[in-house]
């Protein structure tokens, strides 16, 4: 704040800055040896007021090297040699990777400059590298002989920011990423017939790659007039999707994004159409027998979620020109492409797809630091699917094997939170994410944070909450907000000081535990109830009162009732004597329900 890079109002300060880079990359995939070879020219722009005495690269593929420190054990047969760098040139000087000016440890490569990189100047970097595509690398890798999700694959200049300087946090597998906003021109060379590539950005040269009949279908789909759909597993030598027996260069371009990833296969089903009123090229690429594709129509789910994000939450139009849902393993997000496992139910298809696509805004469009504060993106990626699934309940398909009304991811998240809340694993949310292990990490990153966003919505009202979310995105998209920017902007937008709330949920130990501690009813049937917040964390209050004639009254109070006290008193005039009082509901977490019910004698 003193340097005015940030403002106490929650916006950028007058001296805010951030660095960036342009990446020109040529990459070849050898699907016979399962290796990647690439060369890149990187222009790194020091937009800061600081002279840089070094530059830091992330070499994420070193995660799979023997001896690397990891957050979990791995099978040794999946280990590789990591990223092998054969050439590195900086500002026309060849760098000896064995020299004293170079240090390489974990997943960081640090090069000290002989001459500092001055403010407002550019660093010109050329680098050649290769690696074996791993089988058991978190979030990316080889799924069969030709099907790969290629993420964390290029030497990436780390973030130098106004908070920490260079980001030197080592990647150990659990926490995710933090990147600047860069431009990418990437050319991907394939080596098999019908080998398809889906990637971040927009394909620039479909006419160089697709045979004429498929190119016509593709162009029609680009106009949103019909689907481009092909099952590559059914193609043969007389009916090829790609030219040149698949020896092609797929050229993708993407601007002002934090990362680039791509995926390949020669036997997937591929469906594409321009959706969202001509704004987004939507792709689905799945194994031919995938339930998510064939039974649950993952393409339609992704299309509906793009519309939902623009029209409901967060109420901002999907900001990129493309999106691909790729069928790999687990679940992982990259800008404009996500990695989805196949799913066994319609509900899981809806949740997984919308969860990974939510990351489009958080962290990609918003530039948050997942390494330090994973709740700033994962919490939204739980909250937004909860809202989406509630809307999708209306059109849930009929299936005799299940209850279509059981979709309730919000209640599920409350139960997940309660499994760990109040234990020794439950620590304040501002604890740095890369220092945590599960279950502490997962509790803070996913469960607590989604709860907090829901409590905030209840506390200020949905209209105010949606208004804040739009303003937060408007001010901080393409930049690097911190937790304090989020807190301060919320205070500014709502014109209310919620520091008491941030302090309790983010900075102090506590849990969610309300109790009925006193009940009395006067002669005129005025019921007086005292509720105590034994856990300390502010949550909403719901009280269900039933009198002896079975008349029911429900009283709701939002979490602001706990601003000044850990006890509240509620009075209600009844017609008859009280019979039963129930405190709470399935959406309000409470670790001890034994003191949440009162029955009169």
């Amino acid at each position: 704040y003193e340097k005015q890079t940030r403002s106490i109002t929650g916006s950028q300060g007058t001296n805010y800055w951030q660095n960036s880079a342009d990446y020109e990359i040529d990459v070849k995939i050898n699907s016979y040896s399962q290796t990647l070879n690439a060369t890149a020219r990187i222009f790194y722009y020091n937009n800061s007021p600081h002279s840089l005495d070094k530059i830091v690269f992330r070499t994420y593929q070193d995660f799979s090297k023997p001896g690397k420190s990891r957050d979990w054990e791995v099978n040794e047969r999946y280990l590789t040699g990591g990223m092998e760098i054969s050439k590195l040139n900086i500002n026309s000087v060849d760098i000896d990777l064995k020299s004293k000016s170079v240090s390489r440890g974990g997943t960081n490569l640090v090069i000290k400059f002989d001459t500092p990189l001055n403010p407002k100047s550019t660093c010109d970097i050329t680098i050649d590298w290769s690696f074996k595509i791993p089988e058991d690398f978190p979030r990316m890798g080889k799924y069969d002989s030709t099907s790969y999700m290629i993420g964390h694959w290029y030497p990436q200049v780390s973030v130098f920011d106004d908070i920490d300087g260079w980001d030197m946090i080592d990647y150990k597998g659990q926490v995710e990423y933090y990147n600047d906003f860069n431009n990418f021109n990437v050319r991907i060379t394939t080596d098999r017939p019908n080998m398809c590539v889906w990637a971040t950005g927009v394909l620039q040269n479909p006419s160089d790659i697709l045979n004429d009949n498929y190119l016509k279908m593709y162009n029609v789909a680009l106009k949103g007039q019909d689907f481009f759909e092909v099952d590559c597993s059914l193609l043969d030598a007389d009916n090829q999707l790609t030219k040149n027996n698949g020896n092609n260069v797929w050229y993708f371009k993407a601007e002002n994004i934090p990362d680039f990833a791509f995926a390949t296969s020669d036997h997937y089903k591929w469906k594409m159409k321009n959706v969202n009123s001509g704004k987004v090229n939507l792709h689905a690429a799945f194994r031919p027998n995938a339930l998510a594709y064939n039974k649950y129509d993952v393409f339609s789910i992704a299309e509906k979620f793009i519309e939902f994000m623009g029209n409901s939450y967060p109420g901002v139009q999907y900001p990129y020109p493309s999106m691909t849902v790729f069928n790999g393993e687990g679940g992982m997000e990259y800008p404009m492409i996500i990695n989805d496992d196949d799913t066994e139910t319609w509900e899981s298809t809806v949740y997984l797809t919308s969860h990974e696509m939510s990351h489009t805004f958080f962290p990609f469009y918003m530039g948050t630091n997942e390494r330090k504060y994973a709740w700033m993106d994962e919490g939204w990626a739980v909250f937004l699917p909860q809202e989406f699934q509630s809307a999708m309940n209306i059109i849930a398909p009929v299936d005799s094997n299940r209850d279509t009304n059981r979709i309730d991811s919000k209640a599920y998240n409350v139960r997940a939170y309660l499994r760990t809340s109040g234990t020794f694993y439950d620590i304040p949310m501002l604890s740095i994410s890369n220092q945590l292990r599960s279950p502490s990490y997962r509790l803070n990153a996913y469960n607590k944070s989604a709860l907090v966003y829901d409590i905030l919505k209840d506390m200020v009202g949905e209209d105010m909450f949606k208004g804040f979310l739009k303003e937060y995105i408007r001010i901080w998209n393409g930049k690097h907000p911190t937790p304090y920017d989020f807190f301060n902007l919320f205070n500014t937008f709502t014109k209310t000081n919620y520091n008491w709330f941030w302090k309790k949920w983010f900075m102090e130990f506590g849990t969610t535990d309300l109790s009925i501690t006193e009940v009395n009813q006067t002669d005129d049937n005025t019921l007086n109830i005292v509720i105590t917040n034994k856990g300390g964390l502010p949550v909403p209050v719901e009280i269900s009162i039933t009198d002896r004639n079975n008349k029911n009254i429900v009283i709701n109070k939002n979490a602001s009732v706990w601003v000044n006290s850990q006890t509240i008193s509620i009075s209600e005039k009844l017609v008859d004597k009280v019979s039963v009082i129930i405190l709470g509901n399935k959406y309000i977490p409470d670790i001890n329900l034994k003191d949440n019910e009162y029955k009169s004698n």
Side-chain angles (χ1 to χ4, degrees):
Y1 300 121
E2 291 176 355
K3 294 178 180 179
Q4 297 184 342
T5 60
R6 295 168 194 263
S7 166
I8 200 69
T9 64
S11 300
Q12 300 91 47
T14 55
N15 294 331
Y16 181 82
W17 55 266
Q18 64 189 54
N19 291 350
S20 62
D22 293 335
Y23 290 82
E24 294 274 349
I25 305 178
D26 289 282
V27 52
K28 294 182 179 180
I29 294 293
N30 187 326
S31 63
Y32 298 94
S33 62
Q34 279 94 52
T35 55
L36 178 150
N37 291 269
T39 184
R41 190 172 187 186
I42 307 168
F43 293 95
Y44 179 70
Y45 303 101
N46 180 17
N47 303 315
S48 80
H50 305 283
S51 294
L52 305 183
D53 63 351
K54 62 187 175 187
I55 190 167
V56 180
F57 295 91
R58 281 93 169 250
T59 54
Y60 285 129
Q61 288 299 318
D62 289 344
F63 174 88
S64 62
K65 292 174 67 172
K68 169 70 178 70
S69 177
R70 285 175 280 265
D71 287 324
W72 55 76
E73 293 184 9
V74 298
N75 191 318
E76 290 185 2
R77 71 187 183 92
Y78 293 130
L79 297 179
T80 73
M83 183 177 287
E84 297 181 7
I85 298 173
S86 56
K87 176 184 177 181
L88 177 58
N89 182 289
I90 300 179
N91 291 333
S92 301
V93 176
D94 288 332
I95 304 299
D96 180 1
L97 296 179
K98 297 181 180 179
S99 71
K100 292 182 179 179
S101 63
V102 177
S103 63
R104 188 172 182 180
T107 56
N108 289 326
L109 171 63
V110 182
I111 313 294
K112 291 185 178 179
F113 291 129
D114 291 333
T115 303
L117 182 65
N118 292 325
K120 314 302 179 184
S121 63
T122 303
C123 187
D124 185 354
I125 304 158
T126 302
I127 188 165
D128 297 348
W129 75 98
S130 63
F131 61 82
K132 178 86 170 178
I133 299 172
E135 293 185 46
D136 197 28
F137 193 99
R139 307 180 175 97
M140 62 80 62
K142 168 187 162 186
Y143 304 125
D144 61 47
S145 61
T146 64
S147 303
Y148 316 125
M149 170 59 78
I150 306 297
H152 329 311
W153 59 282
Y154 57 96
Q156 181 185 90
V157 182
S158 184
V159 175
F160 181 83
D161 67 16
D162 64 315
I163 303 296
D164 296 313
W166 283 109
D167 172 24
M168 297 289 291
I169 295 172
D170 186 21
Y171 175 66
K172 297 182 179 181
Q174 179 172 254
V175 300
E176 296 177 21
Y177 308 102
Y178 177 43
N179 299 322
D180 279 321
F181 288 83
N182 309 306
N183 299 318
F184 292 85
N185 283 283
V186 180
R187 294 167 177 84
I188 303 159
T189 301
T190 55
D191 63 355
R192 285 182 190 251
N194 306 313
M195 190 75 147
C196 300
V197 179
W198 304 273
T200 301
V202 175
L203 180 64
Q204 302 295 300
N205 62 335
S207 61
D208 296 337
I209 294 166
L210 303 178
N211 279 315
D212 291 344
N213 55 327
Y214 289 106
L215 179 63
K216 291 177 183 178
M217 293 168 55
Y218 187 89
N219 286 332
V220 167
L222 283 179
K223 297 175 182 178
Q225 297 172 353
D226 202 354
F227 288 103
F228 169 86
E229 189 166 16
V230 58
D231 185 345
C232 294
S233 69
L234 302 179
L235 301 177
D236 55 32
D238 297 325
N239 178 25
Q240 289 197 11
L241 171 65
T242 59
K243 296 178 178 178
N244 309 316
N245 269 339
N247 294 284
N248 295 305
V249 178
W250 298 64
Y251 170 32
F252 290 88
K253 185 175 183 178
E255 297 179 338
N256 198 34
I257 56 165
D259 201 358
F260 188 101
F262 65 95
T264 72
S265 182
D266 67 349
H267 58 273
Y268 272 29
K269 285 185 174 180
W270 178 9
K271 187 174 186 177
M272 185 276 284
K273 187 180 180 182
N274 185 276
V275 301
N276 200 32
S277 302
K279 300 182 182 71
V280 183
N281 297 332
L282 179 61
H283 305 255
F286 272 69
R287 295 176 178 90
N289 62 348
L291 288 174
Y293 186 99
N294 296 304
K295 184 175 181 180
Y296 304 123
D297 194 2
V298 67
F299 185 98
S300 176
I301 290 170
E303 181 181 5
K304 286 181 173 63
F305 189 60
I306 287 174
E307 295 170 353
F308 176 85
M309 287 190 288
N311 298 329
S312 187
Y313 275 107
V316 177
Q317 290 297 316
Y318 178 86
Y320 298 124
S322 72
M323 166 53 71
T324 297
V325 184
F326 178 79
N327 181 201
E329 289 182 2
M332 182 57 191
E333 70 280 358
Y334 304 92
M336 294 181 250
I337 184 168
I338 62 173
N339 187 7
D340 269 14
D341 207 341
D342 194 16
T343 43
E344 296 182 354
T345 66
W346 182 80
E347 291 92 341
S348 57
T349 308
V350 170
Y351 183 81
L352 177 62
T353 303
S354 60
H355 174 91
E356 304 306 344
M357 288 177 65
S358 294
H359 287 296
T360 292
F361 284 98
F362 310 97
F364 301 139
Y365 196 50
M366 295 296 286
T368 55
N369 188 344
E370 298 177 89
R371 294 171 155 224
K372 292 178 68 177
Y373 307 112
W375 58 267
M376 293 188 76
D377 77 292
E378 295 295 356
W380 291 114
V382 174
F383 175 87
L384 295 180
Q386 285 178 179
E387 298 293 326
F388 180 56
Q389 282 198 297
S390 178
M392 288 287 279
N393 250 345
I394 301 169
I395 58 169
V398 176
D399 188 331
S400 60
N401 295 322
R402 65 179 177 83
D403 176 7
T404 58
N405 294 317
R406 75 180 184 189
I407 308 170
D408 197 340
S409 56
K410 180 179 171 181
Y412 175 85
N413 184 62
V414 169
R415 295 194 298 271
Y417 164 80
L418 290 173
R419 283 196 290 268
T420 310
S421 181
T423 70
F424 285 111
Y425 297 109
D426 188 359
I427 62 177
M429 284 175 63
L430 270 186
S431 304
I432 303 300
S433 297
N434 72 82
Q435 297 297 313
L436 304 181
R437 300 285 291 270
S438 283
S440 296
Y441 170 80
R442 190 161 192 90
L443 179 67
N444 280 353
Y446 295 81
N447 308 129
K448 269 192 193 178
S449 49
L451 274 174
V452 165
Y453 298 142
D454 203 62
I455 293 169
L456 287 172
K457 182 184 74 168
D458 178 70
M459 193 158 56
V460 302
E462 187 166 35
D463 289 343
M464 177 71 78
F465 186 74
K466 282 186 174 181
F468 160 74
L469 190 52
K470 290 180 182 180
E471 182 73 353
Y472 177 49
I473 292 172
R474 184 188 70 81
I475 288 177
W476 283 103
N477 79 81
K479 301 177 177 66
H480 295 312
T482 69
Y484 294 96
D485 298 316
F486 174 81
F487 302 154
N488 289 333
L489 185 63
F490 195 92
N491 290 352
T492 299
F493 186 83
T494 59
K495 299 179 181 179
T496 305
N497 188 334
Y498 285 105
N499 287 350
W500 63 274
F501 184 88
W502 314 128
K503 187 169 183 287
K504 288 181 179 295
W505 267 104
F506 290 87
M507 305 174 192
E508 296 180 347
F509 285 88
T511 186
T512 54
D513 183 13
L514 304 184
S515 69
I516 301 172
T517 51
E518 185 178 333
V519 176
N520 64 74
Q521 190 170 10
T522 62
D523 292 339
D524 67 350
N525 287 333
T526 299
L527 181 66
N528 300 296
I529 308 170
V530 176
I531 306 298
T532 301
N533 189 337
K534 293 161 58 176
L537 296 182
V539 293
V541 177
E542 179 174 296
I543 303 171
S544 176
I545 303 168
T546 304
D547 68 18
R548 291 177 180 176
N549 288 320
N550 287 324
K551 183 179 179 181
N552 183 254
I553 299 171
V554 177
I555 300 172
N556 286 285
K557 303 288 185 181
N558 67 54
S560 63
V561 297
W562 306 113
V563 59
N564 293 316
S565 176
Q566 293 299 94
T567 62
I568 59 170
S569 298
I570 294 174
S571 296
E572 185 71 22
K573 183 69 175 292
L574 303 184
V575 176
D576 203 342
K577 294 298 182 182
V578 66
S579 175
V580 178
I581 303 172
I582 302 293
L583 173 63
N585 62 42
K586 63 181 178 179
Y587 300 122
I588 301 174
D590 197 314
I591 64 168
N592 177 25
L593 298 178
K594 294 180 180 179
D595 50 13
N596 286 43
E597 182 175 353
Y598 168 86
K599 291 184 179 180
S600 64
N601 294 326

